[in-house]
């Protein structure tokens, strides 16, 4: 597949490679990584995507001006503030590209000031689009350097009139000198700040700050694998850590007695509770708390769980989490990761604390990139005693 800015953008490292061949490359990379970490796991072939393009349901674009002072928008060159014109990116749904094009035209015609990271002046920093594939709902987030946003009413009205798919528009204020896209102050410009998708037969509502897997169809593959690997019993108590808006726990609730979801993002927990209510799922509860701290308290209180699930951010989990989880002696621990490198590091620590896996499953959540999602089911084992001479 060809892209006019592929080499500059860096977002799709595997763009020159046929999709059918990408799975073997990702599989081999994970096998090499496990060998380097002396982890003996059988790695199954990658679960490839039926839809390897137009899948990214979350897009963050920056803005810049060309030589003729005309505004354009696009992705950033890796590790820089340089914006590449990414018009019509094939990894994004068509409706997302159409909305981005319209926003870019409006920003130019309304002469909205662009933020400059070099001088710290200007207003508009980024726009984020979130898309719900099953419902065709769209969320637009304007990230600005200040609260005052001239022309925002005209901007909102123009987008609403042209795109009925847009269900909410918000403004996030980020006045800091930081590469972090969003901060805490969010203003509602239209709608209720949320959109709703359908996933694994459930309605899932989320807001601008909540985590939601980037590839809808592959997320369903991932969750079905998780359910199959855990093979829960009707009497099982399940702990779902780093739970986000509750998607994993909610998808498992019909197979067990009780699920407890833990997530540090308070807004995500509000969404999770709403998701449980709108799907009429009563055997699940959610707590807004750091997952490591919750696990440490559970260990101190000797709170038993039959199964523990963790799906941490790219940085992986903590040593304290691992020690506390293993001390509870669950029958199973399912580790889902978006970065096999940090997962391999953590799997070594789990092994030192009496838990190891035998099989790793891989899901191609990010076609045309080097990234892959991985799942490992850990169970208790006793290290063999060394024979005395």
């Amino acid at each position: 597949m060809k892209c006019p800015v592929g080499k500059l953008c860096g977002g799709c490292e595997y763009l020159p490679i046929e999709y059918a061949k990408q799975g073997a490359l990702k599989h081999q990379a994970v096998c090499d990584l496990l060998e380097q970490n002396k982890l003996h796991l059988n790695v199954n072939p990658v679960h490839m995507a039926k839809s390897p393009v137009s899948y990214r349901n979350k897009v963050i674009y920056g803005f810049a001006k060309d030589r003729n002072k005309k505004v354009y928008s696009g992705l950033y060159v890796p590790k820089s503030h340089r914006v590449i014109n990414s018009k019509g990116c094939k990894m994004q749904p068509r409706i997302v590209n159409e909305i981005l094009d319209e926003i870019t035209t409006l920003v130019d015609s309304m002469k909205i000031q662009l933020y400059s990271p070099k001088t710290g002046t200007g207003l508009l920093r980024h726009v984020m689009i979130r898309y719900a594939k099953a419902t065709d709902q769209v969320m637009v987030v304007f990230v600005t350097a200040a609260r005052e946003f001239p022309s925002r009413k005209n901007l909102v009205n123009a987008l609403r009139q042209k795109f009925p798919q847009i269900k909410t528009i918000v403004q996030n204020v980020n006045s800091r000198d930081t590469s972090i896209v969003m901060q805490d102050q969010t203003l509602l410009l239209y709608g209720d700040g949320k959109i709703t998708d359908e996933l694994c037969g459930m309605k899932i509502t989320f807001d601008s700050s909540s985590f939601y897997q980037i590839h809808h169809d592959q997320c369903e593959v991932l969750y079905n694998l998780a359910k199959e690997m855990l093979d829960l019993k009707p009497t099982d108590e399940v702990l779902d850590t780093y739970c986000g808006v509750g998607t994993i726990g909610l998808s498992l609730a019909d197979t067990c007695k009780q699920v407890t979801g833990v997530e540090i993002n308070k807004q995500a927990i509000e969404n999770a509770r709403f998701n449980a209510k709108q799907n009429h799922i009563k055997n699940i509860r959610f707590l807004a708390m750091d997952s490591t701290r919750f696990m440490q308290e559970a260990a101190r209180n000797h709170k038993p769980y039959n199964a523990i699930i963790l799906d941490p951010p790219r940085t992986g989990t903590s040593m304290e989490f691992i020690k506390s989880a293993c001390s509870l002696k669950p029958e199973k621990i399912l580790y889902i990761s978006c970065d096999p490198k940090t997962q391999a590091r953590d799997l070594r620590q789990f092994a030192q604390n009496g838990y190891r896996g035998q099989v790793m499953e891989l899901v191609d959540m990010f076609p045309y990139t080097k990234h892959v999602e991985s799942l490992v089911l850990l169970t208790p084992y006793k290290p063999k005693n060394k024979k005395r001479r």
Side-chain angles (χ1 to χ4, degrees):
M1 186 183 298
K2 293 183 178 180
C3 173
V5 295
K7 292 182 180 179
L8 291 171
C9 168
C12 301
E13 306 97 328
Y14 281 0
L15 202 61
I17 303 168
E18 289 181 29
Y19 184 61
K21 297 179 180 179
Q22 293 175 29
L25 291 174
K26 296 185 182 190
H27 182 271
Q28 188 58 53
V30 171
C31 289
D32 292 344
L33 178 65
L34 295 177
E35 186 177 350
Q36 291 166 15
N37 284 272
K38 298 180 180 178
L39 293 167
H40 305 290
L41 289 161
N42 293 320
V43 184
N44 283 335
V46 180
H47 294 265
M48 303 295 281
K50 292 180 180 178
S51 303
V53 296
S54 304
Y55 67 87
R56 290 182 181 167
N57 58 29
K58 178 182 176 182
V59 181
I60 299 172
Y61 266 24
F63 297 89
K65 291 185 178 181
D66 61 20
R67 293 177 181 177
N68 299 318
K69 304 298 181 182
K70 186 175 179 62
V71 174
Y72 68 89
S73 63
L75 300 168
Y76 288 90
V77 175
K79 300 178 181 179
S80 80
H81 293 294
R82 183 184 172 192
V83 178
I84 294 295
N85 191 334
S86 309
K87 180 181 176 67
C89 176
K90 293 179 181 179
M91 299 303 134
Q92 297 157 190
R94 188 172 77 172
I95 183 63
V96 171
N97 283 329
E98 290 175 353
I99 292 172
L100 287 167
D101 289 347
E102 183 67 15
I103 288 172
T104 305
T105 300
L106 291 169
V107 168
D108 192 24
S109 64
M110 293 179 180
K111 301 191 183 306
I112 296 171
Q113 290 186 337
L114 306 183
Y115 177 80
S116 170
K118 291 183 179 179
T119 63
T121 59
L123 176 69
L124 185 59
R125 300 179 71 132
H126 316 280
V127 63
M128 178 173 73
I129 308 289
R130 302 196 74 168
Y131 176 63
K133 179 183 177 181
T135 60
D136 206 33
Q137 294 185 11
V138 177
M139 175 193 301
V140 178
V141 182
F142 292 106
V143 183
T144 60
R147 187 184 179 99
E148 292 299 318
F149 188 177
S151 301
R152 71 181 178 189
K153 286 186 178 179
N154 291 335
L155 185 60
V156 168
N157 288 335
L159 288 172
R160 285 182 59 193
Q161 288 177 11
K162 187 163 185 177
F163 300 103
Q165 298 93 333
I166 296 177
K167 297 301 177 186
T168 190
I169 303 175
V170 300
Q171 176 190 354
N172 182 267
V173 182
N174 183 356
S175 58
R176 300 181 185 180
D177 180 16
T178 175
S179 59
I180 297 173
V181 174
M182 293 174 59
Q183 295 295 334
D184 295 334
Q185 188 179 6
T186 298
L187 309 173
L188 196 59
L189 305 184
Y190 166 66
D192 63 0
K194 303 171 185 176
I195 57 175
T196 299
D197 201 3
E198 292 176 6
L199 188 74
C200 297
M202 303 178 296
K203 292 180 180 179
I204 300 295
T205 299
F206 54 92
D207 63 11
S208 59
S209 67
S210 300
F211 174 77
Y212 190 69
Q213 289 284 5
I214 204 163
H215 194 311
H216 173 276
D217 295 356
Q218 288 297 86
C219 182
E220 292 191 330
V221 172
L222 178 76
Y223 290 176
N224 286 331
L225 269 173
K227 180 177 283 192
E228 184 181 321
M229 293 169 76
L230 280 165
D231 191 23
L232 297 171
K233 300 187 295 294
T235 55
D236 282 345
E237 296 264 357
V238 179
L239 175 63
D240 178 20
T241 60
Y242 305 95
C243 74
V245 296
T247 47
I248 298 176
L250 290 166
S251 71
L252 295 169
D254 64 340
T255 64
C256 63
K257 180 182 178 182
Q258 178 75 32
V259 180
T260 299
V262 181
E263 164 65 44
I264 195 170
N265 184 326
K266 292 181 180 179
Q267 192 61 44
I269 286 296
E270 286 187 23
N271 292 330
R273 289 169 179 160
F274 179 79
N275 288 330
K277 187 175 181 180
Q278 72 175 338
N279 288 289
H280 310 290
I281 298 173
K282 297 181 179 180
N283 63 328
I284 191 166
R285 66 182 187 125
F286 294 100
L287 301 171
M289 190 173 179
D290 175 72
S291 291
T292 292
R293 192 160 69 86
F294 178 90
M295 193 62 74
Q296 288 176 308
E297 288 192 10
R300 281 195 293 270
N301 296 326
H302 304 288
K303 170 60 180 173
Y305 293 99
N306 301 99
I308 295 175
I309 304 161
L310 65 153
D311 186 5
R314 192 167 294 279
T315 51
T317 193
S318 64
M319 175 65 76
E320 293 79 11
F321 180 102
I322 293 170
K323 287 183 177 178
S324 298
C326 295
S327 72
L328 290 174
K329 295 182 170 53
E331 298 165 21
K332 306 166 185 176
I333 299 175
L334 181 66
Y335 191 157
I336 303 173
S337 173
C338 59
D339 188 347
K341 188 173 182 180
T342 54
Q343 186 184 39
R345 176 203 68 200
D346 293 344
L347 289 177
R348 291 174 61 184
Q349 297 302 324
F350 271 110
Q352 290 181 15
N353 285 272
Y355 279 78
R356 66 181 177 189
Q358 296 183 354
V359 177
M360 176 178 281
E361 296 283 357
L362 302 176
V363 177
D364 193 25
M365 192 72 69
F366 319 96
Y368 289 99
T369 75
K370 291 182 179 179
H371 301 292
V372 67
E373 199 89 1
S374 52
L375 305 84
V376 179
L377 184 70
L378 307 173
T379 53
Y381 84 103
K382 292 182 179 180
K384 293 180 181 179
N385 295 323
K386 294 183 178 179
K387 293 181 180 180
R388 294 180 180 178
R389 293 184 177 178

